[in-house]
Amino acid sequence: MPASTGPADTAPVSTGQPVALEGILEEDVLVRVEHVTKHFPVRAGGLIRRTVGQVQAVDDVSLVIPRGKTLGLVGETGSGKSTLARCVAGLVPVTSGRVIFDGRDVTNLSRRAMRPVRRDVQMIFQDPYSSLNPRRRVGAIIGDPFAIHRTATGGERKRRIQELMERVGLNPEHYNRFPAEFSGGQRQRIGVARALALRPKLIICDEPVSALDVSIQAQVLNLLADLQQDYGLTYLFIAHDLEVVRHVSDSVAVMYLGRIGELGPRDDVYDTPRHPYTAALLSAAPAADPDTAAARQRIILTGDVPSPIDPPSGCRFHPRCPKARPLCSEQEPQLEPRLGDAPTHVAACHFPVEAGEDLAAAAPARSEVS
Amino acid sequence: MTLLEVRDLTVSFNTADGVVQAVRGVSFGVDAGRTLGIVGESGSGKTVLTQTLLGLTPGADISGSARFDERDLLQLTEEEMRHIRGERISVIFQDPLTSLHPLYKVGWQISELIRAHDKSVSKKDAAERAVELLSRVGIPRAERRVNDYPHQFSGGMRQRAMIAMALALSPQMIIADEPTTALDATVQAQILDLLLRLQRESGTALIMITHDLGVVADIADEVLVMYAGRAAEKAPKREVFYTPHHPYTKGLLESIPSSSAAGDRLRPIAGQPPSLINLPSGCKFHPRCGYVMDRCLSEEPDLRQVGESGFHNSACWLPAGAAGLSEEAEELREEAVHEERGEAAAEVAEAVAADVPGVAVVGIEGEGAAE
Ligand SMILES: Nc1ncnc2c1ncn2[C@@H]1O[C@H](COP(=O)(O)OP(=O)(O)OP(=O)(O)O)[C@@H](O)[C@H]1O
Ligand SMILES: Nc1ncnc2c1ncn2[C@@H]1O[C@H](COP(=O)(O)OP(=O)(O)O)[C@@H](O)[C@H]1O
Ligand code: SF4
Ligand code: SF4
Ligand SMILES: [Mg+2]
Ligand SMILES: [Mg+2]
């Protein structure tokens, strides 16, 4: 099904689209995603299932993640964050485009060829309850990567597992316990220990703290920061909590309906959002501060996220955008920096938001409510 | 005017593992037209507390009182409660799919609800009212969408439909239990905006249960912070956020990543919430508290007045004046700890400090020590 380049291609990497690369040397790039598209067929019918459409989960996404840095990925449910992450991890074949990891084209490698790469790329998932097999002991769970990759055996394996447990703040004596005997935060630590086992270069964190209460969330975020510093890890960090993403990220990508709406250094994106969707998202995020909350002009978007099976024409955000004009539904905007912005800060919008512009006023003031 | 006055509500469940003490002696009041935010970690008793008020915790051992409009909700018969529920008090749950029947059209469910409470309404009038309600909560083309089944609605639309049902009988009070937790930020903003506006229009009282302090900061007037089935702190919103007294409240606020300190270390709370079957002695927060003193290990503090406003209450042995995030407040707390922490509490404090790196514990040096 996928129409992409063949296996291991070590030719020099070409620079893709605008990928926010200013001042970063090629050898400092760990992950490069070039025009990656992932469509899932939608099937209908009884016995003979025919394809009636495509879910455009990820559509023409390009970005880079420098070594030792964190790229935060935000966006509403169904915007394609997890799918993009799975493409980067090689867990699903891409429909088109390329994924270059550590200077090597790893797009749609065979299982075998993917093996060494798998060691270098690990994932941590959202749900600390369902992502661990309840019938297996934590020692065995954390040791899985050793077993799969046949490194460390016997006493050596146990020693390394207990080291890992200690490193993530678990009591090594709890080696033989079952997941149910741990709290949510501790289970997330088990997931972190397992991800860390083979000393990966990249850890993809897919909503790693979303299921945790704030007090516990802070423990896990601190742990991830320490590990990054100690082992020079690179993170692709997915979350829907914008404050969490701001806290952990060096750069941020905002996804909407399978596309990147805005991408840039963290402070640029948060302080001067250019895409109206980014601005709306930022204004909607609840701030845990009554004065800030009271002073904030929330941009209330109308309607829901449209279906990724049949995304709107032109700019995919146009049916909900307070700034939409006729051009928006006709022509698709490209990711580009606004005049005067850093070249690394790009947005896909025909009419980027100006500093100080009052989008809340421009928004149709809940007109559908009579 | 106080619409609901809950006194000393205690709820426990007998389970195979032992008695779960879900709510222990909670008191609060809600006035007409006001919003009470109830915050706390999962398992702190928020849902049990409010479900009990509506007679939705069968099999529980319940004591205390809940006066609503001259009557004690806890003494009503099921029949009487059925009338209160929906007509006088309605509930919005986190997951609308649990409350919307999957096999019936959304509009039909709303009109049936109306007719179930008032037989004199004709089918046609009830159906018209359903359209009106759906459009009032911002469902576009409501006259067509009434004929959709719940699964044809998006998450945000289902939550709107739930709100429409909650409004159907013009209740005096709405209890919303994490109504936006499953929703995206922009949709959450729509729903909160909607709830607030509807409340303003109709003067309904609102109890908003959430674990998200951001939601509380946004829409609450008063805040009740729950910990292990009890009220840790109860105060007007600004006091909870700007001059917290209880170390748990303070810890929650300090755990949240904030823009001012992007990239800095966060200050987590040590440990994890206790088992409600096997609660710690004394103050239930003491195994996680950086200010733990000797009496905290044996005596459980009740809510008492702290701070300056007269409306600020906290269940903590620290001096009443030690409210806030200022240096003076911290000095007051440190002084108290200095005087009242003996050997027993010192041991607990060591354990708290050892639990997670970065936790602030007064009187203990090292990475985790407070400045
Ligand atoms: N295996 C699959 N088959 C068909 N469609 C899929 C599949 N996986 C994902 N999708 C669709 O692709 C789109 C993007 O999904 P994805 O899980 O990447 O979103 P997300 O941004 O991670 O959302 P969330 O915040 O809910 O985790 C959605 O419309 C989803 O339904
Ligand atoms: N029917 C029940 N039987 C036994 N325990 C229960 C029951 N309902 C709730 N609990 C327990 O009561 C405690 C408080 O639960 P809940 O009110 O749902 O917490 P919250 O809403 O604050 O997350 C939890 O420990 C929960 O497991
Ligand atoms: S291109 Fe048009 S519709 Fe799209 S975000 Fe920009 S202004 Fe809005
Ligand atoms: S100081 Fe004592 S009473 Fe106050 S929260 Fe800490 S342990 Fe509880
Ligand atoms: Mg996802
Ligand atoms: Mg609950």
Side-chain angles (χ1 to χ4, degrees):
Chain A
M1 166 194 60
S4 76
T5 43
D9 160 10
T10 40
V13 185
S14 71
T15 316
Q17 264 237 338
V19 282
L21 241 194
E22 199 77 349
I24 297 171
L25 297 173
E26 197 48 49
E27 61 260 37
D28 290 336
V29 171
L30 183 66
V31 180
R32 176 189 290 282
V33 170
E34 290 178 357
H35 304 291
V36 162
T37 291
K38 175 69 193 175
H39 290 179
F40 295 101
V42 184
R43 295 186 214 280
L47 274 180
I48 305 157
R49 316 255 290 155
R50 55 203 167 81
T51 302
V52 295
Q54 302 283 335
V55 178
Q56 304 185 16
V58 173
D59 206 68
D60 194 19
V61 165
S62 299
L63 50 82
V64 297
I65 316 177
R67 281 174 210 281
K69 303 283 185 196
T70 300
L71 172 72
L73 196 54
V74 294
E76 284 175 292
T77 179
S79 58
K81 307 179 296 292
S82 300
T83 304
L84 178 61
R86 290 163 67 215
C87 291
V88 170
L91 295 175
V92 290
V94 304
T95 306
S96 64
R98 299 208 300 168
V99 177
I100 288 129
F101 182 80
D102 210 3
R104 185 160 172 240
D105 188 336
V106 298
T107 322
N108 298 349
L109 288 185
S110 67
R111 275 184 89 93
R112 192 120 165 247
M114 194 66 198
R115 217 162 220 233
V117 182
R118 281 271 157 76
R119 294 184 58 141
D120 285 341
V121 183
Q122 296 291 327
M123 284 192 84
I124 302 171
F125 296 96
Q126 164 168 7
D127 189 351
Y129 298 92
S130 65
S131 59
L132 304 175
N133 183 336
R135 283 183 292 276
R136 299 184 62 221
R137 296 174 194 279
V138 284
I141 293 175
I142 297 172
D144 269 343
F146 295 129
I148 294 165
H149 291 273
R150 299 191 205 101
T151 51
T153 48
E156 162 71 4
R157 186 180 292 174
K158 178 162 181 185
R159 193 184 57 75
R160 299 220 352 225
I161 292 168
Q162 291 192 317
E163 258 172 38
L164 283 166
M165 291 179 73
E166 186 130 35
R167 187 64 192 81
V168 301
L170 291 168
N171 185 343
E173 285 162 24
H174 295 168
Y175 184 86
N176 278 321
R177 295 201 175 174
F178 291 99
E181 297 171 64
F182 294 87
S183 69
Q186 289 174 323
R187 278 183 243 197
Q188 206 49 295
R189 287 167 197 269
I190 295 171
V192 174
R194 179 172 58 182
L196 217 53
L198 300 171
R199 288 293 174 82
K201 293 181 175 144
L202 172 72
I203 298 188
I204 298 176
C205 309
D206 193 349
E207 306 261 4
V209 294
S210 306
L212 306 177
D213 279 311
V214 265
S215 71
I216 309 295
Q217 168 183 299
Q219 298 175 0
V220 174
L221 290 177
N222 278 353
L223 172 66
L224 289 173
D226 291 347
L227 295 174
Q228 178 165 49
Q229 193 155 41
D230 293 354
Y231 302 129
L233 293 170
T234 305
Y235 290 143
L236 172 57
F237 193 102
I238 301 173
H240 64 260
D241 183 325
L242 290 161
E243 287 303 337
V244 167
V245 169
R246 189 204 300 244
H247 185 80
V248 303
S249 306
D250 297 291
S251 55
V252 177
V254 183
M255 286 189 79
Y256 187 81
L257 269 184
R259 294 193 157 242
I260 291 190
E262 184 155 6
L263 171 65
R266 174 194 57 204
D267 291 342
D268 297 32
V269 172
Y270 276 82
D271 296 342
T272 51
R274 294 304 183 196
H275 198 288
Y277 175 65
T278 313
L281 205 57
L282 287 173
S283 85
D289 181 305
D291 288 344
T292 312
R296 179 156 53 195
Q297 287 295 316
R298 271 205 309 232
I299 306 164
I300 303 290
L301 294 177
T302 51
D304 293 297
V305 185
S307 156
I309 298 174
D310 186 19
S313 63
C315 172
R316 293 183 174 195
F317 186 53
H318 86 255
R320 299 175 76 199
C321 181
K323 292 192 74 175
R325 293 192 230 165
L327 174 67
C328 303
S329 55
E330 289 155 17
Q331 199 181 327
E332 178 147 2
Q334 299 300 313
L335 274 177
E336 55 196 9
R338 194 183 148 280
L339 200 68
D341 279 357
T344 49
H345 179 192
V346 293
C349 174
H350 294 306
F351 309 105
V353 181
E354 304 290 328
E357 184 178 339
D358 189 1
L359 272 186
R366 301 209 48 80
S367 52
E368 83 274 52
V369 182
S370 48
Chain B
M1 190 198 78
T2 304
L3 186 63
L4 172 71
E5 186 74 49
V6 175
R7 287 259 154 264
D8 214 17
L9 182 65
T10 299
V11 187
S12 61
F13 298 94
N14 246 317
T15 69
D17 296 330
V19 177
V20 177
Q21 302 179 56
V23 177
R24 298 179 304 116
V26 173
S27 304
F28 62 88
V30 190
D31 293 349
R34 306 281 286 179
T35 300
L36 171 73
I38 303 185
V39 275
E41 296 179 87
S42 63
S44 58
K46 308 181 295 292
T47 298
V48 169
L49 171 68
T50 45
Q51 301 275 49
T52 301
L53 299 179
L54 294 171
L56 297 174
T57 46
D61 286 325
I62 302 165
S63 68
S65 68
R67 197 182 51 75
F68 178 78
D69 201 19
E70 316 278 293
R71 283 195 285 181
D72 186 352
L73 294 177
L74 305 181
Q75 307 300 333
L76 299 183
T77 64
E78 271 207 27
E79 181 56 31
E80 290 169 320
M81 185 50 97
R82 243 196 309 279
H83 280 287
I84 296 272
R85 247 184 352 241
E87 279 171 38
R88 316 290 301 280
I89 306 176
S90 50
V91 209
I92 304 167
F93 295 107
Q94 169 170 354
D95 180 7
L97 276 186
T98 58
S99 331
L100 289 170
H101 197 293
L103 298 182
Y104 296 100
K105 292 174 178 168
V106 173
W108 186 87
Q109 297 190 45
I110 298 176
S111 40
E112 271 312 290
L113 174 74
I114 294 170
R115 278 166 46 78
H117 284 270
D118 185 353
K119 298 275 184 310
S120 70
V121 182
S122 74
K123 278 199 174 156
K124 185 165 162 290
D125 286 350
E128 268 168 26
R129 184 111 173 81
V131 173
E132 196 184 295
L133 282 162
L134 284 177
S135 76
R136 183 150 173 236
V137 298
I139 304 266
R141 282 170 294 146
E143 66 291 346
R144 298 217 329 248
R145 303 309 296 252
V146 281
N147 294 317
D148 281 358
Y149 292 92
H151 72 89
Q152 290 169 290
F153 274 24
S154 71
M157 281 164 72
R158 276 182 220 134
Q159 204 51 280
R160 284 162 193 271
M162 279 297 301
I163 294 175
M165 286 179 94
L167 294 172
L169 305 168
S170 313
Q172 288 158 290
M173 185 157 92
I174 296 178
I175 298 177
D177 192 348
E178 312 247 10
T180 58
T181 303
L183 303 175
D184 284 315
T186 60
V187 183
Q188 165 167 299
Q190 292 173 349
I191 300 286
L192 293 181
D193 186 59
L194 172 67
L195 274 173
L196 269 187
R197 212 169 30 77
L198 295 171
Q199 186 200 26
R200 226 171 283 139
E201 284 167 16
S202 55
T204 319
L206 179 63
I207 297 183
M208 173 63 95
I209 302 176
T210 174
H211 64 268
D212 188 338
L213 287 158
V215 170
V216 171
D218 209 342
I219 77 165
D221 297 307
E222 277 82 38
V223 180
L224 176 66
V225 181
M226 301 258 305
Y227 187 77
R230 252 166 101 84
E233 190 151 6
K234 191 172 76 173
K237 170 168 73 184
R238 294 180 55 87
E239 281 163 88
V240 168
F241 282 89
Y242 298 132
T243 55
H245 182 270
H246 200 285
Y248 174 63
T249 313
K250 184 167 165 279
L252 279 183
L253 292 169
E254 288 174 345
S255 307
I256 307 173
S258 78
S259 52
S260 51
D264 290 356
R265 284 191 72 77
L266 297 169
R267 287 240 207 131
I269 300 178
Q272 59 204 56
S275 148
L276 299 183
I277 294 181
N278 203 350
L279 284 164
S281 62
C283 169
K284 303 310 174 236
F285 187 59
H286 88 249
R288 306 175 75 186
C289 184
Y291 299 96
V292 57
M293 301 168 286
D294 275 2
R295 68 189 305 192
C296 309
L297 309 187
S298 53
E299 292 170 65
E300 179 157 37
D302 279 322
L303 272 186
R304 72 192 157 114
Q305 202 172 310
V306 298
E308 285 152 12
S309 69
F311 299 104
H312 189 170
N313 301 282
S314 166
C316 168
W317 292 126
L318 286 168
L325 301 164
S326 66
E327 266 173 45
E328 295 97 292
E330 187 58 20
E331 270 167 32
L332 273 173
R333 285 189 281 264
E334 281 176 23
E335 241 169 65
V337 171
H338 198 74
E339 274 166 31
E340 301 196 34
R341 183 182 286 166
E343 252 170 62
E347 226 170 86
V348 176
E350 296 274 354
V352 173
D355 188 71
V356 248
V359 152
V361 178
V362 168
I364 292 188
E365 296 296 323
E367 203 207 345
E371 314 75 322

